[in-house]
Amino acid sequence: GMDVVKTHIGRLNGTIDIESRVGAGTRLSIRLPLTLAILPTLMIGVKGRVFALPLSSVNEIFQLEGCATRLVDGLQCVIVRSKAMPLLFLQDWLDVGKPRAGASGLEQVVVVQVGNRQLGIAVDSVLGREEVVIKPLGLLLQGLAGLAGATITGEGAIALILDVPGLVKSHLKDYPSVDNSFGAIGEVA
């Protein structure tokens, strides 16, 4: 039995350590490389660049066209089912200092959730679902809020994996009046 396990783990460039003590039991430690972390993602496009959002954080997707957007206490929001939801134009987050010409209405909004906090992320296109292998970021990009890693797409392009909790936290950090459920923004008449 264990020789088969050891062989398969060895093929994955992993290691297995077996530690046994009389009267205490046996402990197995299996170590696999980080590159084996597979993540189901939603691939999105912004200004010709491809990004990956962890699918576990995605609630819904809708077209921005026909939805009202408003500034509520200085926070850009989209009105969904008579409720205001904070809205982040991913293009603004990516192109710091380059003002966006305005919402074209053609954007799609991906609603992500962290705990009970929701955020609408406006993107140019939703490309589909893809399972990706997570690669760690290089030293230059490590520690940047909103980035969790990188991957190589099925087409061979490099895509950054967005860190949804980091995006939510960084986008809403200046808005302490927004409670966990965005109830401070609340209903819109």
Side-chain angles (χ1 to χ4, degrees):
M2 284 307 290
D3 61 331
V4 174
V5 173
K6 184 178 189 278
T7 301
H8 284 288
I9 289 174
R11 286 184 191 156
L12 298 172
N13 292 326
T15 61
I16 184 167
D17 294 321
I18 302 172
E19 187 180 314
S20 189
R21 291 192 190 138
V22 177
T26 302
R27 182 175 131 180
L28 299 172
S29 296
I30 299 173
R31 291 186 185 97
L32 296 172
L34 181 62
T35 57
L36 292 181
I38 296 178
L39 180 69
T41 63
L42 181 68
M43 303 303 284
I44 55 175
V46 176
K47 292 184 73 175
R49 298 180 217 161
V50 178
F51 296 89
L53 274 172
L55 204 51
S56 61
S57 299
V58 176
N59 274 1
E60 68 178 300
I61 303 167
F62 61 88
Q63 193 76 27
L64 185 59
E65 184 178 26
C67 294
T69 59
R70 293 198 178 125
L71 275 178
V72 178
D73 292 332
L75 180 64
Q76 183 74 38
C77 294
V78 62
I79 312 305
V80 181
R81 292 179 286 282
S82 300
K83 289 199 176 207
M85 177 191 317
L87 181 64
L88 167 66
F89 283 87
L90 197 56
Q91 179 181 335
D92 291 346
W93 182 74
L94 295 169
D95 294 333
V96 178
K98 293 183 182 177
R100 184 176 31 85
S104 67
L106 300 176
E107 294 93 349
Q108 292 182 297
V109 178
V110 179
V111 179
V112 295
Q113 185 160 350
V114 177
N116 53 359
R117 301 180 95 185
Q118 286 188 324
L119 176 66
I121 300 176
V123 299
D124 294 341
S125 59
V126 174
L127 306 172
R129 181 177 185 226
E130 191 171 323
E131 291 191 355
V132 300
V133 176
I134 303 169
K135 302 279 186 188
L137 292 171
L139 290 176
L140 187 61
L141 297 176
Q142 268 180 351
L144 284 177
L147 297 179
T151 189
I152 300 174
T153 66
E155 291 81 34
I158 295 174
L160 292 174
I161 300 170
L162 300 177
D163 170 34
V164 174
L167 274 177
V168 170
K169 185 177 179 183
S170 69
H171 185 64
L172 299 177
K173 72 177 184 233
D174 296 329
Y175 304 96
S177 65
V178 179
D179 71 8
N180 288 343
S181 63
F182 301 112
I185 295 173
E187 298 284 331
V188 176

